[in-house]
Amino acid sequence: MADIDENLAQREAIEVDRSKGDFKYEENYAFDAGIGLTPSTIDYIAKVKGEEEWIREFRQKSLKIFQEMPMPTHWATADLENIKFEDIRYYLSKGQKPVRTWEEVPDDVKQTFERLGIPESERKFLAGVEAQFDSEAVYSRMKEELEKQGVIFCGPTEGLRDHPEIFRKWFGKVIPIGDNKFAALNSAVFSGGSFIYIPKGVKVAQPLQAYFRINAENFGQFERTLIIADEGSEVTYMEGCTAPKFETATLHSAVVELVALKGAKIQYITVQNWSANVFNLVTKRGVAEEDAEVRWIDCNIGSRLTMKYPGVVLRGKRARGEVLSIALANDGQHQDTGAKMIHAADDTTSNIIAKSISVGEGRSTYRGLVHIPKTLSNCRNNTECDALLINEHSRTDTYPAISVRGRKNSVQHEASVSKVSAEQIFYMMQRGLSEGEAMSLAVNGFVNDLVKEFPMEYSVELKRLIELQMEGSVG
Amino acid sequence: MSDSLVIKNLNASIGDRPILKDFSLTVPKGEVHAIMGPNGTGKSTLSKVLAGHPDYSVQSGEAFLDGEQILGLEPDVVARAGLFLAFQYPSEIPGVTIANFIRAALVARQAKGAPFDAKAYYAELYAKMDALKMDRKFTSRFVNEGFSGGEKKRCEILQLMMLKPKYAVLDETDSGLDIDALRIVSEGVNAMRGPDTGFLVITHYQRLLEYIVPDRVHIMWDGRIVHSGGKELALELEEKGYDWVKQDLAKA
Ligand SMILES: Nc1ncnc2c1ncn2[C@@H]1O[C@H](COP(=O)(O)OP(=O)(O)OP(=O)(O)O)[C@@H](O)[C@H]1O
Ligand SMILES: [Mg+2]
């Protein structure tokens, strides 16, 4: 029986308790680029990282583009104007090179993992863990088999330095610098993140995981991820985020590029739980070549403002793209999420299922873009977006943009808005559930069919995060 | 008093419309009491007021569950104190399976963080479902979603049997049940009868009371109990109809 709860009891023992992400640890930063963003900040970052000249130039060019581009407030929320770029710290590092063994990890970092509630068994269990602690990966390990298989799993600095023949070709190509203002910002100041290469035909059995943390006030995190799955290979990457709570707003602006070559499959999973002051402005896009598949599973919980529209460019025949997303907007939060599917070859298919939950004063926006030019034939898209409202103050908007030309292609679009009624809450409370438990059960029910698609540990964790959110939302 | 469900001079309204008018009733533990009364007389209102539904306001009166005052408490607190309401019109909870729903209700009764014995839970759930002749497929169906009227009622009784409350109010559990289902559901309720449980059975039909034989029968009229008697009162009512009650009231 495919019942998540049945396995819950066994899972609970090794579960990561992300509710503990709510603390701040004293840091003694060995490297710190200071506050604000100028060409000399960029030079500083490039120098500290010991980067080659072409990367420094790439960064400087990106900075210029970032500074020239206007804020996208003609379509996006004016809240973006509240980001104080001049107050942000763009680079922090412990100054270590990424290490392989647990023993080499500094004690204070270990303590932080301890407090995060990542149990020993879990740490050992995680295959190829790349845990990002602030801007630099301080803890990275790879299972021996992965190395033997030729899998590369490192950070951007190492990736570009040690394997330029693999990564340089695609770096900044799926998402060009000028794609949007925040992609440009990331291109200027990126540090941390994962660079992954899966050789031809290699099917990585265990998901690659990374834990992300933001741990300094006014510190923007700009990780950069590039995953290249060579022909016929398969990989699942999991990204989990927790951020401690701070008084002032924090900016998180990542760029994630995925390249699935002929017949390859990439599944990228994000479950994020940002604290309520984080601006989370992320650009994610994948390219799928012939017979390849790119699948984004994206769960956005928390943050002050999230803007994220994972996309897939279906470049080869029979390529498949999928976005499954869940967004939960609580009081004072705005989840502006969606998906982009760009069909660029015949016989390509895309599927978008987006579920949003708005609680209290929370606001969710769905923006979808599906593009199928008329020169193509036999392309299909299915888009489903469902919104759940919990109490009358919350709000949801849908902006689907579907440009499908040509009679040989088909699109299917369904949208629904539902409410958790007072009667439903009463019914559940009559069975002994508190109001918060009743609401989280209703929310979990709403996302249930989508969550079934997730790997077990993520569905369990998501369930927990929803519970925490809903319990926090009742007085 | 400490082992009864006691309702004293309860006055409750919806909006500014009074529904319960000086309503009083005592159901001792171990007994089954039936309430009969015409449509709109306030039977469901009574059950919801006891359960703490936020739409109703209580003007005066008291309600004690084994000596504990339950009026004004949150619905979940009343539920965990031991009051179960089998709804006349149960809500649908999309996406939440029956198995997960009942499980969540049981977990809510445990100490926070206490381990849940999933194996024992499923064993019991399946046994109760077998007793109610419910297909096991129902465990993975969403609570009441797409259920037939009778299936919903059976699902209410399944929850009752799993949650084992001190007092259960069954609001027209018989309506919508076919003849076999009526017998099966009644057997389920009868199996729960015992010194630790009290029942308040709301029904329009004497037929149910042939299966679940009540200790007392009360006739409710315009927001209060106007007649009480043994099980034969239900028969009398069925024969004579509510006109008889009306005439009786007029005489008084
Ligand atoms: N939420 C509500 N809003 C408006 N009126 C209500 C509400 N709930 C109950 N009432 C009214 O209160 C009166 C009593 O209703 P109640 O449901 O308690 O009757 P009942 O005795 O259970 O009837 P039935 O035998 O038909 O189930 C009815 O006139 C009903 O219309
Ligand atoms: Mg009724």
Side-chain angles (χ1 to χ4, degrees):
Chain A
M1 187 170 145
D3 190 340
I4 290 164
D5 266 3
E6 267 191 291
N7 297 295
L8 190 65
Q10 302 141 42
R11 289 286 323 171
E12 260 155 7
I14 54 163
E15 195 180 322
V16 178
D17 185 359
R18 291 292 161 79
S19 65
K20 290 186 185 153
D22 208 16
F23 65 91
K24 184 187 173 183
Y25 200 80
E26 267 322 304
E27 285 286 324
N28 177 21
Y29 295 106
F31 292 91
D32 180 347
I35 286 168
L37 187 55
T38 65
S40 63
T41 321
I42 301 298
D43 285 343
Y44 174 84
I45 296 172
K47 196 171 143 224
V48 167
K49 290 181 163 295
E51 287 172 345
E52 284 177 43
E53 182 57 18
W54 74 269
I55 304 175
R56 198 188 63 85
E57 278 166 15
F58 176 89
R59 289 181 182 276
Q60 291 291 5
K61 185 176 156 200
S62 303
L63 176 65
K64 268 188 97 167
I65 293 174
F66 165 70
Q67 286 168 339
E68 282 161 10
M69 284 181 92
M71 273 290 188
T73 41
H74 58 287
W75 61 270
T77 170
D79 195 22
L80 287 173
E81 303 291 356
N82 294 315
I83 302 173
K84 301 233 168 358
F85 291 104
E86 65 281 6
D87 291 345
I88 289 171
R89 208 176 282 274
Y90 288 88
Y91 183 71
L92 286 169
S93 168
K94 293 295 280 185
Q96 296 99 345
K97 298 272 164 289
V99 290
R100 279 290 154 76
T101 65
W102 182 243
E103 285 66 39
E104 289 172 72
V105 176
D107 281 347
D108 58 339
V109 174
K110 276 185 188 164
Q111 265 173 294
T112 298
F113 279 107
E114 210 79 61
R115 296 187 61 180
L116 256 178
I118 301 170
E120 206 78 43
S121 58
E122 177 88 344
R123 297 172 199 157
K124 288 187 185 127
F125 175 78
L126 297 173
V129 159
E130 165 102 343
Q132 173 162 334
F133 193 80
D134 289 341
S135 355
E136 210 63 53
V138 292
Y139 170 48
S140 82
R141 234 169 20 136
M142 251 191 274
K143 237 186 156 185
E144 265 172 45
E145 301 98 83
L146 283 183
E147 273 177 346
K148 272 188 249 153
Q149 288 176 314
V151 172
I152 300 169
F153 185 14
C154 59
T157 308
E158 303 73 49
L160 293 174
R161 186 189 60 214
D162 303 338
H163 311 280
E165 73 291 352
I166 291 171
F167 293 115
R168 196 171 166 175
K169 185 174 161 200
W170 288 102
F171 174 70
K173 296 299 190 321
V174 184
I175 301 171
I177 299 170
D179 185 83
N180 65 75
K181 192 172 173 71
F182 294 96
L185 176 63
N186 176 282
S187 300
V189 299
F190 70 91
S191 68
S194 301
F195 271 41
I196 296 171
Y197 171 75
I198 314 293
K200 274 186 192 168
V202 171
K203 296 188 169 130
V204 183
Q206 267 173 323
L208 303 179
Q209 304 204 13
Y211 287 101
F212 291 78
R213 300 268 306 144
I214 290 183
N215 205 24
E217 201 165 354
N218 277 357
F219 165 51
Q221 186 151 341
F222 305 97
E223 75 270 22
R224 182 100 193 179
T225 291
L226 172 58
I227 302 176
I228 300 167
D230 213 329
E231 293 180 9
S233 69
E234 288 177 19
V235 66
T236 293
Y237 182 80
M238 296 187 179
E239 172 196 29
C241 305
T242 56
K245 282 192 178 129
F246 292 115
E247 301 293 301
T248 51
T250 303
L251 176 63
H252 174 255
S253 188
V255 164
V256 179
E257 298 175 291
L258 307 183
V259 179
L261 297 178
K262 194 173 171 185
K265 279 188 189 174
I266 303 178
Q267 176 166 249
Y268 191 103
I269 304 170
T270 305
V271 174
Q272 60 164 210
N273 175 27
W274 297 111
S275 61
N277 56 353
V278 171
F279 284 93
N280 181 41
L281 312 165
V282 173
T283 312
K284 289 180 164 175
R285 194 169 306 145
V287 166
E289 301 283 5
E290 204 172 294
D291 293 308
E293 184 179 308
V294 169
R295 187 183 209 213
W296 297 98
I297 293 182
D298 211 70
C299 303
N300 303 291
I301 293 173
S303 82
R304 168 173 174 171
L305 171 68
T306 287
M307 289 174 66
K308 186 162 32 159
Y309 322 97
V312 184
V313 181
L314 301 149
R315 239 170 52 157
K317 280 192 176 177
R318 293 173 302 277
R320 294 177 303 279
E322 188 162 42
V323 173
L324 307 179
S325 84
I326 293 173
L328 194 157
N330 223 320
D331 270 340
Q333 300 176 351
H334 185 180
Q335 299 283 1
D336 195 324
T337 59
K340 288 183 188 172
M341 291 294 176
I342 312 296
H343 290 253
D346 289 341
D347 306 314
T348 48
T349 52
S350 60
N351 184 36
I352 301 168
I353 304 178
K355 299 216 177 205
S356 72
I357 302 119
S358 310
V359 189
E361 310 275 331
R363 179 174 170 196
S364 336
T365 306
Y366 170 82
R367 293 178 207 272
L369 176 76
V370 176
H371 179 69
I372 306 178
K374 70 164 174 259
T375 47
L376 299 182
S377 66
N378 199 27
C379 295
R380 274 173 301 147
N381 165 263
N382 174 57
T383 298
E384 215 181 296
C385 51
D386 301 316
L388 184 71
L389 301 180
I390 300 182
N391 99 34
E392 60 267 36
H393 304 297
S394 47
R395 140 169 200 202
T396 178
D397 314 286
T398 305
Y399 305 100
I402 300 182
S403 60
V404 179
R405 306 215 163 70
R407 260 178 270 126
K408 288 173 246 142
N409 303 306
S410 82
V411 278
Q412 202 176 327
H413 183 253
E414 275 177 47
S416 77
V417 178
S418 48
K419 276 189 176 175
V420 178
S421 71
E423 229 34 64
Q424 286 170 314
I425 296 290
F426 175 70
Y427 182 75
M428 290 186 269
M429 289 179 80
Q430 211 300 306
R431 297 307 182 240
L433 304 178
S434 69
E435 192 180 357
E437 286 164 348
M439 292 202 299
S440 70
L441 200 62
V443 171
N444 274 305
F446 173 69
V447 298
N448 182 50
D449 52 340
L450 207 54
V451 172
K452 274 198 193 122
E453 302 285 316
F454 297 8
M456 179 67 76
E457 53 265 58
Y458 270 66
S459 53
V460 169
E461 185 174 331
L462 185 68
K463 191 169 173 259
R464 276 278 210 101
L465 288 176
I466 288 173
E467 276 163 17
L468 281 169
Q469 285 291 317
M470 302 318 293
E471 265 151 42
S473 74
V474 290
Chain B
M1 172 105 175
S2 65
D3 51 1
S4 305
L5 177 65
V6 178
I7 305 153
K8 266 194 205 159
N9 304 105
L10 184 57
N11 284 281
S13 61
I14 177 117
D16 50 11
R17 198 182 140 197
I19 310 282
L20 299 181
K21 300 164 184 170
D22 257 341
F23 184 98
S24 295
L25 177 69
T26 295
V27 181
K29 237 185 210 160
E31 293 191 7
V32 173
H33 287 218
I35 292 186
M36 303 181 83
N39 296 132
T41 202
K43 302 180 297 296
S44 295
T45 299
L46 170 70
S47 69
K48 287 189 185 164
V49 168
L50 291 176
H53 196 292
D55 284 359
Y56 301 86
S57 53
V58 174
Q59 278 73 47
S60 62
E62 295 168 305
F64 298 95
L65 192 152
D66 288 351
E68 185 189 348
Q69 167 75 259
I70 54 168
L71 292 182
L73 300 181
E74 287 295 312
D76 57 319
V77 178
V78 177
R80 292 195 301 269
L83 185 79
F84 180 92
L85 171 56
F87 286 71
Q88 183 175 3
Y89 305 109
S91 289
E92 299 181 0
I93 318 289
V96 178
T97 63
I98 290 184
N100 283 352
F101 185 55
I102 298 177
R103 180 194 171 115
L106 286 168
V107 169
R109 284 161 172 78
Q110 291 187 336
K112 229 182 159 66
F116 184 82
D117 188 345
K119 222 177 133 194
Y121 166 67
Y122 276 98
E124 186 181 357
L125 184 66
Y126 289 147
K128 302 262 150 89
M129 289 177 79
D130 290 349
L132 288 170
K133 301 222 161 39
M134 286 177 82
D135 195 308
R136 290 201 181 167
K137 280 194 285 236
F138 270 88
T139 50
S140 49
R141 280 189 61 178
F142 302 142
V143 178
N144 295 320
E145 201 181 50
F147 284 24
S148 74
E151 286 165 348
K152 282 185 184 170
K153 295 303 171 73
R154 229 184 268 217
C155 178
E156 292 291 289
I157 300 305
L158 175 66
Q159 293 173 53
L160 165 71
M161 292 168 81
M162 291 299 291
L163 298 180
K164 305 180 192 72
K166 292 178 184 151
Y167 297 93
V169 181
L170 312 188
D171 193 357
E172 295 195 27
T173 299
D174 52 339
S175 69
L177 289 179
D178 65 42
I179 299 159
D180 288 342
L182 185 64
R183 186 179 42 78
I184 291 160
V185 162
S186 302
E187 279 166 9
V189 172
N190 285 332
M192 286 189 71
R193 285 179 79 157
D196 299 328
T197 318
F199 289 89
L200 188 58
V201 178
I202 297 168
T203 181
H204 287 295
Y205 307 105
Q206 123 81 11
R207 162 162 239 137
L208 175 72
L209 304 179
E210 280 171 15
Y211 292 106
I212 304 173
V213 181
D215 297 292
R216 301 283 293 164
V217 174
H218 308 277
I219 297 173
M220 188 167 173
W221 186 278
D222 192 22
R224 72 186 75 108
I225 302 290
V226 292
H227 253 296
S228 296
K231 58 175 192 253
E232 56 304 329
L233 184 59
L235 274 173
E236 199 177 344
L237 186 64
E238 186 130 300
E239 257 170 50
K240 300 183 181 168
Y242 286 113
D243 274 349
W244 159 67
V245 181
K246 214 150 100 187
Q247 283 157 15
D248 235 35
L249 276 174
K251 268 188 266 166

